[in-house]
Amino acid sequence: MLFRSLGADAITANPYLGSDGLEPFFAYEERHTFVLCRTSNEGAKELQDLVVGEGRPLYEHVALLANGWNTRGNVGLVVGATYPEEAARIRGVAPELLFLMPGVGAQAGDLEAAVRASVDARGGGILVNASRSVLYAGSAEAARAEAMRLRDGINAARG
């Protein structure tokens, strides 16, 4: 298991495994499992926007399932910053789940819109992920400046 063998604190998991396939990850109560929900890439629409039971898009159905799977308080959702309207819908059906939010930086997601759409009732509940924009900033100083710019933008959007 990844948590034991690699010492990982969190993983990303595919919801197509279903609850029985994900339960072994959820069993690690001190670790977090982020279920892919509304990813930040353009092609995500091909599947995640499909309308399923009760007229909901698939990503919203995944959020509802994950909400039910969160019996130990260690299930979260991957919700891309490139789709703030969808992020708001997901927050509406999963008000307590932690969001791992890629898509800012190199993918040019609107940081302010995404954060405002995604924060929970306490003004938190999101982990904004920026990789390439920091990693390939050009120098250690530039990477630090980019990370600080993102931190400041997140805090400003939180109010």
Side-chain angles (χ1 to χ4, degrees):
M1 177 60 76
L2 295 171
F3 293 131
R4 209 172 349 173
S5 64
L6 297 179
D9 292 317
I11 62 154
T12 302
N14 190 324
Y16 286 166
L17 296 172
S19 59
D20 62 333
L22 294 173
E23 178 55 37
F25 299 105
F26 302 156
Y28 284 81
E29 294 183 30
E30 69 284 356
R31 306 291 194 233
H32 223 84
T33 300
F34 289 96
V35 177
L36 295 171
C37 182
R38 184 63 169 116
T39 58
S40 56
N41 59 305
E42 180 66 28
K45 295 176 182 181
E46 295 169 7
L47 293 174
Q48 295 169 14
D49 283 359
L50 291 174
V51 176
V52 296
E54 299 181 15
R56 296 180 184 275
L58 180 59
Y59 68 82
E60 197 171 308
H61 184 71
V62 168
L64 287 167
L65 288 172
N67 211 29
W69 295 335
N70 191 33
T71 60
R72 298 177 183 99
N74 62 348
V75 177
L77 295 168
V78 176
V79 179
T82 50
Y83 300 106
E85 298 82 17
E86 289 91 335
R89 286 183 67 165
I90 294 165
R91 178 55 73 202
V93 299
E96 301 295 321
L97 295 187
L98 182 60
F99 289 6
L100 175 60
M101 184 165 278
V104 299
Q107 287 182 306
D110 183 334
L111 179 66
E112 182 178 354
V115 169
R116 287 188 181 189
S118 302
V119 292
D120 63 17
R122 296 177 305 279
I126 56 172
L127 296 172
V128 177
N129 176 55
S131 301
R132 290 178 283 174
S133 64
V134 175
L135 191 63
Y136 300 119
S139 69
E141 294 81 22
R144 183 177 192 281
E146 175 63 9
M148 292 177 69
R149 183 191 71 76
L150 288 168
R151 180 204 60 199
D152 294 344
I154 293 164
N155 287 335
R158 290 177 56 219

